[in-house]
Amino acid sequence: MTDLNTFITDESIAPTDDGPLSGSSVAVKDNISTEGVRTTCGSAMLADYVPPYDATVVKRLRAAGATIAGKTNMDEFGMGTTTETSAFGPTKNPVDTDYVPGGSSGGSAAAVAAGEVDYALGSDTGGSVRCPAAFCGVVGLKPTYGLVSRYGLIAYANSLEQIGPIAPTAKAAGELLDVIAGVDEHDQTTRPAAADASYADAGDDPTMDLEIGVPTELLDGADEQVVDQFWATINALEDAGASYHEVSMPSIEKAVAAYYVIAMSEASSNLARFDGVRYGPDTDSNGNWNDVFSDVREDGFGEEVKRRILLGTYATSAGYHDKYYAKAQDARAWVRREFDRALDDADVLASPTMPVLPFELGEGIDDPMKMYLADANTTPVNLADVPAVSVPAGTAEGLPVGLQLVGPSYSEELLLSAAAGVENTLD
Amino acid sequence: MGDDANITDEDVRHVAELARVDVSDDEVERFTSQFADVLEYYEQLSDVPTVDEDDNLHNIMRPDEARECLSQDEATQNATTDEDGFFEGPSVADE
């Protein structure tokens, strides 16, 4: 297999104990801190940064017997949909190496799809676990906000993101989720879920006893081949015992705009710490704090990151806060409410994970708005704080298509069971 | 600053200064046009209804409890430090 450039740092980290993951390998996205092993976030800013501590999820993986296989490639600081904004070069899609693997957790998804590792961790702020899972033909799950600790996850947009499992099957995704989920005193945004949840068991217990809601706004504007493959999948699920109905959720049309305003605003704040003092590249600048900071940040950040920091600064600045940031929060509340209502009448909601097929490498990178619009199907879920899983649902033009299933808060067992049901039905 | 989405390169330079990120002339030109596209896209937020949300928020603040944490060496291992182990930063004085 040609070099896919899945790893930024190819360094093994040993387990600390035996457990359910003994003998297995887990790739970890490079925005998740690993003690003593470089953690770059795909950025020149952190090219030499070595964390002095393990993220909680890494600690739990090692205590469960897993070997960490290395740190995977990603869009810089999580900002991207194709893994092309990485300072370490793009990752190739193992299904067809002329195409992107998706992003921002492209390295993790590609490593799983190529069989380089048994499992991988990604992070999902606006779709960054589900998108690459869909584009690479594997399973990816974004947990409910608060299920998995973010301690040690280098923040991009901390009200939106979650670490999630990427794996070959729903059952394997469940095995990984069992190990990483649960309250952490280091992350006060974690909440106790069903303490008795067993995600591996759920992934091993397929169901088609489902009432599926299909939000029509998530099909509008999607590529024809993606929509055709989606309906072919829904029809197969119907034959296998599920039923579906359509539901209109007009707030979804505001989701991409609301997501980007909120994410960019939080990013401008979260990335303010990168000033070259406690970590970061050296600079030749001899000026005062402002000169040096501005120079280091110019050097260390790639173009997409700069774009988002500046737009985030603009959206929260005096005179613009009410117009952009406050309205985005209103949109977020509206999206949440519509998801709650839609899930009153359905077990799960279903849509294509992505409205497009994987891009060719280099196709989208000069057009920021085109990239942002590709997040139309995934961002509403992050705004609503609910969980969603992407499960492989066939191909179109030889490229993988993902089915996204969305559930109410803390319904990961149901989602994994449904995903397993989809796997069985399509087999 | 006005209420329309007509962003100028002066606006871009101003925001870059606020964010402490140097931008080249090329970048300013590129960003001005890209930002105009993005801000125009954001205009649709103006007709979002205001939703009255029930705040199910609990105040979990508590007094600090000192515990074991990273040593000074560990916390400064990625930086240049002086003889007392303090982070070294750039000059404070204005030129």
Side-chain angles (χ1 to χ4, degrees), chain A residues 44-61:
Chain A
M45 183 64 83
L46 293 177
D48 299 316
Y49 171 68
V50 179
Y53 70 103
D54 271 340
T56 295
V57 294
V58 170
K59 224 166 142 172
R60 289 179 179 179
L61 284 179

Side-chain angles (χ1 to χ4, degrees), chain A residues 77 79 124-126 145 150 154-162 189 258-274 297 305 308-316 325 328-329 332 336 382-383 385, chain B residues 42:
Chain A
F77 284 107
M79 302 184 192
D124 190 311
T125 309
Y145 185 84
R150 291 176 299 106
I154 296 172
Y156 152 29
N158 44 309
S159 81
L160 291 162
E161 55 207 10
Q162 277 289 283
T189 63
Y259 165 80
Y260 273 104
V261 169
I262 294 170
M264 290 184 186
S265 300
E266 291 183 8
S268 70
S269 172
N270 288 323
L271 271 65
R273 70 195 62 186
F274 298 109
R297 289 155 69 74
V305 170
R308 296 194 192 191
I309 289 173
L310 296 194
L311 279 165
T313 304
Y314 187 88
T316 48
Y325 189 77
Q329 294 291 13
R332 184 170 193 176
R336 269 200 195 112
N382 301 82
L383 291 174
D385 299 327
Chain B
Y42 287 170

Side-chain angles (χ1 to χ4, degrees), chain A residues 7-60:
Chain A
F7 285 92
I8 294 178
T9 299
D10 209 330
E11 196 178 315
S12 217
I13 305 173
T16 53
D17 204 344
D18 284 320
L21 297 183
S22 284
S24 55
S25 60
V26 185
V28 170
K29 186 177 183 181
D30 208 19
N31 57 358
I32 297 172
S33 302
T34 41
E35 184 180 338
V37 173
R38 177 173 79 147
T39 298
T40 69
C41 295
S43 181
M45 183 64 83
L46 293 177
D48 299 316
Y49 171 68
V50 179
Y53 70 103
D54 271 340
T56 295
V57 294
V58 170
K59 224 166 142 172
R60 289 179 179 179

